Amino acid sequence: MRTHSGSPRPLKVGAVIITMGNRPEELRALLDSVAKQDGDPVEVVVVGNGSPVPDVPDGVRTVELPENLGIPGGRNVGIEAFGPSGSEVDILLFLDDDGLLAHHDTAELCRQAFADDPKLGIISFRIADPDTGETQRRHVPRLRASDPMRSSRVTTFLGGANAVRTRVFAEVGGLPDEFFYAHEETDLAWRALDAGWVIDYRSDMVLYHPTTAPSRHAVYHRMVARNRVWLARRNLPALLVPVYLGVWLLLTLARRPSRPALKAWFGGFREGWTTACGPRRPMKWRTVWRLTRLGRPPVI
């Protein structure tokens, strides 16, 4: 979009942060890091996901939900707070409430990246421990993850440290509410890729976040398994569904989880087959080939 003088206007950036209200100091530090971004101010919406929102600075909008809608549900409410599909802004940042933007130029880097590449739909930031600077392997959204400092095209993104062009939501829809937690990013990523968008991992866009294990959540193993099945049922060509899920079954067994974890996993796997997963829109075979050329065929 151009201004009346004919020069392109800076892309408008907003941010969505969901909170359970239990990390007020970390939330305030995150908001301060967003407020310090170079360029035009970033508009912020904080969504209290089934809880009151702690005190926030003037100018930060808040939405308090009467119940916890899960991560995708809460983020979808944040998107709509910026108008239908986030249409009041061009770019939305999604940031974990215990994270912290490491640098002042992240919003400007996002503006430049999206302005330079009209097909760029999503950017995945690098997550680094604030004390050690280390990036966990699981936070690099590609199979070849040994060098977290290498930026690249990827096939998915990190849920609490990313930027999305709002036209993506207008075209392919938001995050899948029913997932509640786990794999909702990959569901959106696959739909975006199928629509012709591209996704970048950028090592120079950094969110500081304490090192954690995803299994700290009590529902982790059940949700991961159930949503993996839903992901396949919703998005993959029929021929690939059993292949994808068979590979993940073998990988899960190879990791030798504890007996309670394995029991929860199989319970979730069964639930994924026996419950409604939302609309099925299988990706095109050319998207399967795109994913394969990017290094992650949709069978793993």
Side-chain angles (χ1 to χ4, degrees):
M1 186 176 294
R2 294 182 177 272
T3 63
H4 292 300
S5 65
S7 59
R9 69 160 176 82
L11 297 178
K12 194 171 183 180
V13 180
V16 173
I17 301 164
I18 60 172
T19 183
M20 301 290 291
N22 56 350
R23 295 189 282 234
E25 293 181 5
E26 292 90 338
L27 174 62
R28 188 59 181 250
L30 171 62
L31 292 171
D32 288 345
S33 75
V34 174
K36 292 175 182 175
Q37 290 299 297
D38 299 335
D40 293 340
V42 176
E43 297 185 29
V44 181
V45 168
V46 177
V47 178
N49 212 356
S51 68
V53 175
D55 289 339
V56 297
D58 293 341
V60 174
R61 288 186 277 171
T62 63
V63 180
E64 293 186 352
L65 303 177
E67 62 178 311
N68 183 353
L69 299 182
I71 293 173
R75 287 184 176 142
N76 283 338
V77 169
I79 294 168
E80 296 302 310
F82 286 97
S85 301
S87 57
E88 294 173 5
V89 295
D90 303 295
I91 303 163
L92 278 176
L93 312 180
F94 294 87
L95 307 169
D96 277 350
D97 68 341
D98 56 345
L100 183 76
L101 288 174
H103 308 302
H104 293 181
D105 63 351
T106 301
E108 281 288 82
L109 288 173
C110 285
R111 290 185 183 100
Q112 191 63 54
F114 285 112
D116 288 347
D117 186 350
K119 294 309 294 179
L120 178 60
I122 303 171
I123 299 173
S124 190
F125 300 167
R126 181 167 64 90
I127 294 179
D129 185 273
D131 297 320
T132 66
E134 180 183 355
T135 295
Q136 291 180 269
R137 187 180 181 91
R138 70 184 182 89
H139 283 153
V140 183
R142 59 178 180 245
L143 290 180
R144 295 177 180 175
S146 59
D147 182 8
M149 300 307 294
R150 179 173 66 87
S151 299
S152 69
R153 285 269 146 94
V154 289
T155 62
T156 188
F157 64 99
L158 306 174
N162 67 80
V164 182
R165 192 191 297 268
T166 53
R167 281 176 51 206
V168 172
F169 298 126
E171 187 169 342
V172 307
L175 296 155
D177 286 338
E178 50 274 290
F179 279 40
F180 197 83
Y181 163 76
H183 302 319
E184 66 271 7
E185 304 91 359
T186 300
D187 186 88
L188 176 60
W190 283 0
R191 284 182 282 126
L193 289 164
D194 197 48
W197 297 99
V198 298
I199 305 171
D200 280 353
Y201 166 71
R202 288 282 297 264
S203 64
D204 56 337
M205 302 182 189
V206 181
L207 184 84
Y208 283 148
H209 189 283
T211 298
T212 57
S215 54
R216 70 190 185 280
H217 299 291
V219 297
Y220 172 76
H221 297 286
R222 180 175 71 87
M223 292 290 195
V224 161
R226 183 198 68 181
N227 292 359
R228 184 79 71 185
V229 177
W230 282 357
L231 180 68
R233 288 175 59 196
R234 286 164 60 97
N235 295 289
L236 290 181
L239 287 174
L240 293 184
V241 172
V243 180
Y244 177 81
L245 295 175
V247 167
W248 277 104
L249 172 61
L250 292 175
L251 283 173
T252 299
L253 295 174
R255 290 168 179 168
R256 303 173 65 87
S258 67
R259 185 179 295 273
L262 194 60
K263 182 179 179 181
W265 193 93
F266 274 109
F269 192 78
R270 182 169 54 252
E271 185 181 348
W273 286 107
T274 58
T275 55
C277 63
R280 172 168 166 76
R281 299 186 181 95
M283 67 177 64
K284 307 173 191 72
W285 281 102
R286 69 168 176 262
T287 305
V288 173
W289 177 236
R290 278 188 69 200
L291 291 165
T292 302
R293 287 191 293 114
L294 287 168
R296 189 150 198 166
V299 293
I300 187 170

